[in-house]
Amino acid sequence: MDKFKKEELIEKIAHSLDITPQMYNESISVIRGITHYLISQIPNLEIFKQGSFKLGTVIRPYNKDKDGEYDVDLVVKFQKDKDKISPSQLKQVLRACLKSEHYEKLLDDEKRRCWTLHIPSRTTPFHVDLLPCIKESENIIQNLSPIELRGSSVAITNIKDKDSKPYTYEWLTSNPKGFSQWFDSVNYKAYKEVKIRDRERIFNQNPDIFGSVEEVSDEYTRSPLQKVIQILKRHRDVMFFDNKEVAPISIIITTLVGKIVEENSSVFNTTYDLLNFVIDGLNFYSQLTISGYTTDFDERFKNKKLITKHMKNGKPYWQIQNPANSKENLANKWNEHPEKIESFFKWVKQVKVDLIDILDQTPAEIQAKLKYCLGEEFGNSLFENFSFESINASNTRVLNFNNQTPKPYRG
């Protein structure tokens, strides 16, 4: 398949994974309702979006997961002093607010850091995670970096051990607003013009929703950076469907892809080119699994600090720093569960095989592989209106697909 068709196919994958404007509008309506209700109960709350919904990297749930939902993350910031309320008290204040006759029936069991509402939908079900927090104390903020983002740091509640009751709670430092600001700055610096052009695509596909191109909000548009993250997340969801405990977490995927774009002087205007570049960049760090520690590498590696591996207390210590919170190591679970490290780099290698290398094979092999690694139903719909023929091809031929099944990831 020529490069033009590779680019076209990867773009089609990304667009098909995204939630629709109708789904987005429904979510926004629910968010507004929740926000209005909570503020009516407790004035002066600050409520804002975070996570994949805020970053524009949300994807539709994997259809094999019958209970799958896409998620909307909201931060509920209370105007309280940290030294005058405990994390358990703050968690229960929000719980009490959700005891209305409407939200009570939608409320799930208590999560480690948040409360979750499962929202019924005429199209695709989704859930809303509500994260209670307060402003972080000044003595902690002053020791955080980067300086330009630390002012929005918050203290969030956390249950230390979900298997031990009664629960013991603690404060953790987080900065969801700072993370969004960092991600947006990277995205717009590299892809502002691309996102502007994407508005026309969205308008043309949804003329019944938007009266003009100008009515298409920037929140609907997607850059190659956002699309690459969406594709990687779907591949992750399928590959680890039966073993979710060791699946790479979304914030690590988002951070690493964002940092690779931030530290790269060139801009890749197609999702295919950026996906290829990102996968090569992530594969570079797989050397750490077999070649010792960060300090063992040559000068070329020492300029790359997205993932590091050192010795700490006589043991290997992996680190991926949160770009909005210098005190948070996103890879901390890797140090507690080494199997997560193996799974991450196994996944990175598999992504290259499944999404890049496969595009040089026959149309039948490409279709079979993408159906396998992105989902059967998704793969079927993906190729309904896709031709493998180059637009410059002089002859048209019919491509017959076989039922070839790729080798499974496991076993």
Side-chain angles (χ1 to χ4, degrees), residues 10-51:
I10 293 297
E11 287 292 330
K12 186 174 176 61
I13 289 172
H15 294 158
S16 300
L17 289 174
D18 204 0
I19 63 173
T20 65
Q22 294 92 333
M23 293 163 67
Y24 182 87
N25 287 341
E26 182 180 26
S27 302
I28 291 297
S29 177
V30 170
I31 289 172
R32 287 173 179 163
I34 293 173
T35 299
H36 177 77
Y37 169 74
L38 289 178
I39 292 178
S40 72
Q41 301 297 303
I42 303 180
N44 301 319
L45 286 178
E46 181 184 1
I47 302 175
F48 54 92
K49 300 188 293 290
Q50 69 155 338

Side-chain angles (χ1 to χ4, degrees), residues 137-175:
S137 58
E138 285 299 326
N139 62 312
I140 291 180
I141 290 177
Q142 293 306 313
N143 291 311
L144 299 175
S145 62
I147 294 175
E148 64 273 17
L149 297 178
R150 68 187 185 188
S152 56
S153 297
V154 294
I156 64 173
T157 66
N158 182 62
I159 297 173
K160 288 184 178 181
D161 184 359
K162 280 281 287 182
D163 295 325
S164 178
K165 292 186 179 181
Y167 293 150
T168 301
Y169 296 79
E170 63 181 344
W171 291 117
L172 294 179
T173 301
S174 185
N175 194 358

Side-chain angles (χ1 to χ4, degrees), residues 342-360:
E342 179 183 353
S343 294
F344 178 82
F345 288 109
K346 179 181 178 182
W347 168 68
V348 170
K349 292 181 183 298
Q350 193 65 50
V351 171
K352 181 171 176 57
V353 172
D354 290 347
L355 299 180
I356 300 298
D357 296 347
I358 189 60
L359 300 184
D360 290 319

Side-chain angles (χ1 to χ4, degrees), residues 42 44-45 62 125 146 177 232 271 290 302 373 399:
I42 303 180
N44 301 319
L45 286 178
Y62 173 37
K177 185 175 289 188
L232 292 177
T271 305
I290 58 176
K302 291 177 181 177
C373 72
L399 300 173

Side-chain angles (χ1 to χ4, degrees), residues 91-338:
K91 192 80 171 290
Q92 295 308 316
V93 169
L94 180 56
R95 171 67 181 89
C97 288
L98 298 172
K99 283 188 174 180
S100 74
E101 67 282 358
H102 177 63
Y103 292 115
E104 177 76 21
K105 61 184 179 183
L106 305 178
L107 191 63
D108 201 346
D109 294 335
E110 183 176 5
K111 300 295 191 295
R112 188 180 293 272
R113 298 180 181 181
C114 67
W115 295 102
T116 298
L117 297 172
H118 292 277
I119 311 298
S121 170
R122 291 188 298 271
T123 55
T124 303
F126 63 98
H127 64 265
V128 179
D129 288 336
L130 298 159
L131 177 72
C133 69
I134 56 177
K135 181 178 176 60
E136 185 55 278
S137 58
E138 285 299 326
N139 62 312
I140 291 180
I141 290 177
Q142 293 306 313
N143 291 311
L144 299 175
S145 62
I147 294 175
E148 64 273 17
L149 297 178
R150 68 187 185 188
S152 56
S153 297
V154 294
I156 64 173
T157 66
N158 182 62
I159 297 173
K160 288 184 178 181
D161 184 359
K162 280 281 287 182
D163 295 325
S164 178
K165 292 186 179 181
Y167 293 150
T168 301
Y169 296 79
E170 63 181 344
W171 291 117
L172 294 179
T173 301
S174 185
N175 194 358
K177 185 175 289 188
F179 188 89
S180 297
Q181 290 173 344
W182 165 77
F183 185 85
D184 287 345
S185 69
V186 174
N187 200 22
Y188 286 98
K189 182 179 180 180
Y191 294 114
K192 180 179 179 181
E193 295 302 319
V194 176
K195 285 176 70 66
I196 290 175
R197 292 196 299 271
D198 197 44
R199 289 181 177 178
E200 187 171 347
R201 173 190 66 83
I202 296 171
F203 170 72
N204 290 335
Q205 293 178 351
N206 302 276
D208 55 326
I209 297 178
F210 306 105
S212 66
V213 174
E214 290 70 26
E215 288 185 18
V216 179
S217 168
D218 183 67
E219 292 185 336
Y220 290 111
T221 64
R222 298 292 182 258
S223 71
L225 169 57
Q226 292 165 305
K227 293 173 188 174
V228 165
I229 293 170
Q230 289 176 304
I231 292 170
L232 292 177
K233 286 168 61 176
R234 166 49 66 90
H235 186 278
R236 179 270 318 269
D237 288 348
V238 176
M239 181 170 173
F240 292 95
F241 176 72
D242 294 322
N243 199 10
K244 294 182 177 67
E245 293 77 12
V246 297
I249 60 175
S250 293
I251 192 170
I252 285 183
I253 296 173
T254 302
T255 296
L256 292 177
V257 177
K259 292 296 290 184
I260 287 173
V261 170
E262 183 179 40
E263 297 180 0
N264 177 48
S265 58
S266 301
V267 175
F268 296 94
N269 285 324
T270 73
T271 305
Y272 168 77
D273 285 331
L274 181 59
L275 178 64
N276 206 343
F277 184 78
V278 164
I279 292 172
D280 284 345
L282 294 177
N283 265 308
F284 179 85
Y285 289 96
S286 64
Q287 300 171 73
L288 286 171
T289 62
I290 58 176
S291 302
Y293 301 93
T294 303
T295 52
D296 298 332
F297 286 83
D298 59 17
E299 290 300 321
R300 188 172 76 94
F301 179 84
K302 291 177 181 177
N303 292 327
K304 298 179 182 293
K305 298 292 186 181
L306 304 188
I307 303 175
T308 60
K309 179 186 177 186
H310 301 284
M311 285 292 291
K312 185 175 181 180
N313 299 323
K315 296 180 179 180
Y317 183 79
W318 293 79
Q319 185 170 20
I320 301 172
Q321 189 177 91
N322 186 326
N325 179 6
S326 58
K327 298 295 184 181
E328 183 177 10
N329 176 16
L330 301 177
N332 198 46
K333 291 293 184 180
W334 290 12
N335 300 312
E336 300 174 10
H337 306 281

